[in-house]
Amino acid sequence: MFNLGFFKGLPTEYIIRYQSGRVTKKGPGLAFYYLRHNTQIVAVPTSSTDGNFVFNEVTQNFQAVTIQGQFTYRIASPEVAAALLNFTMNPGNRAYISNDPERVPQRIANVIQMQTRGEIQSRDLEAAIRDSQLIAAQVLSTIQNQGLLATLGVELLSVYFLAAKPAPEMSKALEAPYREGLLRRADEAIYARRASAVEEERKIKQNELNTEVLLEDQRRGLIDLQSANAVQEAESRGRALETEAAFRARSTQMELDVFKTLDPRLVLALGIRELGQNAEKIGNLNITPEILSSLLQVQEQAPHGDAEA
């Protein structure tokens, strides 16, 4: 009873059942009962699998370059693969009894490396780094077209180069021109910004100067206008003074003409009367007899003079 077992394969496994050294059953995803003592089960995975690789190669100009990438494959011919490698499985724990299945990715990586080496050696360092994805596509096409993995029963689905790196010192050397270019562009940007700032400052100063010139022109016009107005005002004031003086002289003359027809004694009496009415405005007034006698004599002689005239 304990010699009887049951095995159920996965849909992505190609199962080959050996009983007493003979193939009794094969196909994808088989399920069956078996006798433990004389049955071997081979399970070849047919699903797609990913693998990684890292290659160190030398370019045409003898520069080291490291290629890091990934590939995807599947076992397209399980019987061919099972004939070359041991895919026998322990049905109890579903573990392979050998490490042959683990060797498949390494064998594929070896084929990819050989094709990659030919492509890298035909290019210089700059071209190898620049054309890394083109090289990956060329390697995939060559392997597929030439069937280099057909003997393993494997189909290569894709190849990608994730990185193509030179040696650290060469990497710095390759980066130097671009880095210097970036620094030069940064310097040019700084110079351009400074030049723009100087130009803007010049424009501001020019605007300030233009404003000052305009203000001075306006100020000069204002001074000229004020001078013209002052001259005109002075002329007007002079004419007004002349008119006023002439009016006062004419008025005084008219007032004096009235006294010409009066008796001198009457004029003297009116003058003394006027003095009396304005006595509070006069500080001291001394009229001596001699002054009074002289005035009387002048007044007495005046009519004779007028008569003679």
Side-chain angles (χ1 to χ4, degrees):
M1 180 177 179
F2 293 98
N3 192 35
L4 184 65
F6 178 78
F7 178 83
K8 182 178 181 181
L10 300 176
T12 56
E13 291 177 334
Y14 188 86
I15 307 301
I16 303 176
R17 177 183 174 183
Y18 289 87
Q19 189 171 4
S20 299
R22 294 180 298 105
V23 177
T24 59
K25 202 171 188 180
K26 58 183 179 180
L30 296 180
F32 50 83
Y33 289 96
Y34 64 94
L35 298 176
R36 299 178 187 275
H37 70 280
N38 65 349
T39 302
Q40 295 83 33
I41 299 175
V42 173
V44 181
T46 57
S47 61
S48 60
T49 306
D50 296 329
N52 300 316
F53 58 83
V54 177
F55 303 148
N56 293 316
E57 300 297 337
V58 178
T59 63
Q60 187 181 35
N61 53 352
F62 305 102
Q63 298 299 320
V65 61
T66 301
I67 305 296
Q68 180 181 358
Q70 184 182 64
F71 61 90
T72 302
Y73 71 95
R74 74 180 185 91
I75 298 179
S77 301
E79 295 183 17
V80 174
L84 294 175
L85 300 172
N86 186 4
F87 285 92
T88 303
M89 177 181 290
N90 184 349
N93 55 12
R94 299 188 63 86
Y96 291 107
I97 63 175
S98 71
N99 59 357
D100 282 2
E102 299 177 359
R103 296 177 181 176
V104 175
Q106 184 59 46
R107 293 190 180 185
I108 298 174
N110 292 338
V111 175
I112 294 175
Q113 183 175 12
M114 294 304 298
Q115 297 302 315
T116 302
R117 178 173 299 171
E119 295 292 336
I120 294 296
Q121 290 179 350
S122 65
R123 292 173 171 83
D124 58 18
L125 179 61
E126 291 84 350
I129 296 175
R130 182 181 63 248
D131 301 337
S132 60
Q133 296 305 322
L134 180 62
I135 294 174
Q138 184 63 36
V139 168
L140 175 63
S141 177
T142 301
I143 294 175
Q144 289 177 339
N145 294 334
Q146 296 183 7
L148 300 180
L149 295 176
T151 56
L152 290 176
V154 173
E155 179 184 4
L156 187 62
L157 301 179
S158 64
V159 175
Y160 299 102
F161 287 175
L162 303 179
K165 298 180 180 180
E169 59 275 8
M170 292 304 301
S171 178
K172 293 180 180 179
L174 293 175
E175 292 172 0
Y178 184 72
R179 182 170 59 251
E180 293 299 327
L182 290 179
L183 293 176
R184 190 182 308 110
R185 289 169 58 186
D187 292 339
E188 291 174 356
I190 293 174
Y191 297 150
R193 184 167 63 250
R194 290 179 179 176
S196 177
V198 171
E199 180 64 19
E200 293 298 326
E201 185 176 359
R202 186 194 65 78
K203 290 180 180 179
I204 293 173
K205 290 184 178 180
Q206 184 65 39
N207 291 335
E208 291 177 351
L209 181 60
N210 293 337
T211 302
E212 290 180 0
V213 171
L214 179 61
L215 291 176
E216 290 298 326
D217 290 341
Q218 294 179 352
R219 181 182 176 186
R220 181 173 58 189
L222 179 60
I223 291 174
D224 293 342
L225 181 59
Q226 288 177 346
S227 299
N229 290 340
V231 171
Q232 185 176 1
E233 184 179 0
E235 292 177 354
S236 299
R237 190 181 298 110
R239 288 193 297 269
L241 291 175
E242 290 178 358
T243 302
E244 183 179 359
F247 176 76
R248 288 182 179 178
R250 189 165 54 252
S251 176
T252 303
Q253 185 63 38
M254 292 175 64
E255 290 178 357
L256 293 177
D257 289 342
V258 173
F259 292 103
K260 288 182 180 180
T261 59
L262 298 178
D263 187 354
R265 289 173 293 180
L266 180 58
V267 174
L268 179 58
L270 290 175
I272 294 173
R273 180 184 175 187
E274 188 71 20
L275 289 174
Q277 290 179 350
N278 295 283
E280 68 277 0
K281 299 180 182 179
I282 300 173
N284 294 314
L285 179 61
N286 295 322
I287 301 177
T288 62
E290 291 79 5
I291 295 175
L292 182 59
S293 175
S294 298
L295 290 173
L296 291 176
Q297 290 178 1
V298 172
Q299 295 298 331
E300 288 177 355
Q301 294 175 0
H304 298 286
D306 292 340
E308 292 176 357

